[in-house]
Amino acid sequence: MAERAALEELVKLQGERVRGLKQQKASAELIEEEVAKLLKLKAQLGPDESKQKFVLKTPKDFDIAGNFDPMIPDAECLKIMCEILSSLQIGDFLVKVNDRRILDGMFAICGVPDSKFRTICSSVDKLDKMSWEEVKNEMVGEKGLAPEVADRIGDYVQQHGGVSLVEQLLQDPKLSQNKQALEGLRDLKLLFEYLALFGIDDKISFDLSLARGLDYYTGVIYEAVLLQTPAQAGEEPLGVGSVAAGGRYDGLVGMFDPKGRKVPCVGLSIGVERIFSIVEQRLEVLEEKVRTTETQVLVASAQKKLLEERLKLVSELWDAGIKAELLYKKNPKLLNQLQYCEEAGIPLVAIIGEQELKDGVIKLRSVTSREEVDVRRGDLVEEIKRRTGQPLCIC
């Protein structure tokens, strides 16, 4: 019990260290190293028998005989990643893929000592930010790798392409003789076949420099990056790194199972904060504000004692499928209502006044241009839909 308590305390302290590094926005490499330490401590801790047991479940079509094709869910994850990034409209992107088995096999045939695999892996992963010469100097000067071994690594990690590169490496006289690398290359070839069927192979590049520092990856790894485009006027090029990443980690969940059962896993994550940075910068350049609501029109009043009329009109708009709202004050000032629209990014204001009620019209105001027009109440829904791009009613 005392030993378990000591391990639990170490897990707690390491968890606090990881959270602290994230808050301090430490380097990704340092955070990944500390996360790996935390996972190892949790694995040593094992399950708490005093807590409710849970059952690990594998996919229904998975069996020991090997009928489960792991590349199908990998290809599906990449398809999902591409769909998400395309829908965000943040620019052209490229998804780089590799396989940890290919990396490990490559290091082995190049002569990297087993004890240096992970540290050399972290150096290779910097090739998207540093030149090959800088990476080589780090491996040789800081990590003690023999120069000739580094040169052999360089011959591989500077290559990138599509399925043709996979086929080329399958014929490589050295790499093809390594069991791990051969398994990884065969799976990647199959993956590219599925990606072509999904219609996204043009968005995917096989990149031998992609390493992904976390130790728990066991197979395919991937990372999405934005393609550099010329900066627009007033826009600084953003070095945000990857905007999405993921991979296969078949051994991770089993670390927490007392029986050590293998549970195949694959997943991805989206870099929400990095994407926000891109969107915010572009909005600043365009001098646009972020809309904080989907509201299309605010129902406003020009004079006092018109709350009931505002409620009637907002109800009519809701019934017509218009996203409308009103301020909850009984007698809000018109200026305050207009300012609210500007701050929230609401494009239109439907203004009711005593004269409008007499004339049977609604004053429709564009928040950006401040142009106002009188619209017959019966035509208001169609006019709002026309201005907001909604389908018009054909009666």
Side-chain angles (χ1 to χ4, degrees), residues 42-61:
K42 286 185 176 180
Q44 292 174 31
L45 186 62
D48 187 348
E49 298 298 334
S50 65
K51 295 182 179 179
Q52 185 178 1
K53 293 182 179 180
F54 64 92
V55 178
L56 296 172
K57 294 184 178 180
T58 57
K60 292 181 180 178
D61 54 352

Side-chain angles (χ1 to χ4, degrees), residues 191-209:
L191 176 66
F192 268 97
E193 291 178 12
Y194 295 155
L195 296 176
L197 293 173
F198 284 159
I200 58 169
D201 53 319
D202 60 327
K203 291 286 188 182
I204 314 295
S205 172
F206 174 29
D207 192 325
L208 281 158
S209 69

Side-chain angles (χ1 to χ4, degrees), residues 338-349:
L338 298 177
Q339 286 178 339
Y340 172 75
C341 289
E342 290 185 357
E343 292 170 1
I346 300 173
L348 297 171
V349 189

Side-chain angles (χ1 to χ4, degrees), residues 262-282:
K262 184 178 180 181
V263 180
C265 298
V266 63
L268 64 96
S269 62
I270 303 295
V272 176
E273 289 185 1
R274 293 181 176 183
I275 289 172
F276 277 173
S277 297
I278 297 166
V279 174
E280 286 174 353
Q281 186 195 66
R282 290 181 178 173

Side-chain angles (χ1 to χ4, degrees), residues 219-350:
V220 174
I221 50 178
Y222 34 86
E223 183 176 275
V225 295
L226 293 183
L227 298 177
Q228 291 292 330
T229 55
Q232 299 178 14
E235 183 177 353
E236 291 292 330
L238 277 175
V240 295
S242 63
V243 292
R248 176 161 289 279
Y249 43 97
D250 289 343
L252 181 62
V253 177
M255 291 168 59
F256 304 97
D257 179 22
K259 296 182 180 179
R261 286 170 290 192
K262 184 178 180 181
V263 180
C265 298
V266 63
L268 64 96
S269 62
I270 303 295
V272 176
E273 289 185 1
R274 293 181 176 183
I275 289 172
F276 277 173
S277 297
I278 297 166
V279 174
E280 286 174 353
Q281 186 195 66
R282 290 181 178 173
L283 288 173
E284 285 178 8
V285 171
L286 297 171
E287 296 183 349
E288 293 182 2
K289 293 183 178 179
V290 178
R291 287 195 64 186
T292 59
T293 177
E294 291 188 353
T295 301
Q296 298 165 310
V297 58
L298 180 82
V299 175
S301 55
Q303 290 96 23
K304 294 181 179 181
K305 299 182 179 180
L306 291 174
L307 175 60
E308 290 184 4
E309 295 299 332
R310 285 193 292 141
L311 289 171
K312 287 179 186 177
L313 180 56
V314 80
S315 179
E316 291 175 19
L317 296 178
W318 288 341
D319 290 343
I322 302 291
K323 295 177 180 177
E325 66 174 280
L326 74 166
L327 297 189
Y328 295 152
K329 288 184 177 182
K330 286 186 177 181
N331 299 302
K333 294 180 179 179
L334 181 58
L335 180 60
N336 291 344
Q337 295 171 87
L338 298 177
Q339 286 178 339
Y340 172 75
C341 289
E342 290 185 357
E343 292 170 1
I346 300 173
L348 297 171
V349 189

Side-chain angles (χ1 to χ4, degrees), residues 369-386:
S369 69
R370 301 185 179 181
E371 177 189 1
E372 295 180 348
V373 294
D374 287 340
V375 180
R376 291 178 56 83
R377 188 157 184 153
D379 299 332
L380 181 63
V381 168
E382 297 301 312
E383 180 63 17
I384 291 174
K385 286 186 176 182
R386 185 184 68 80

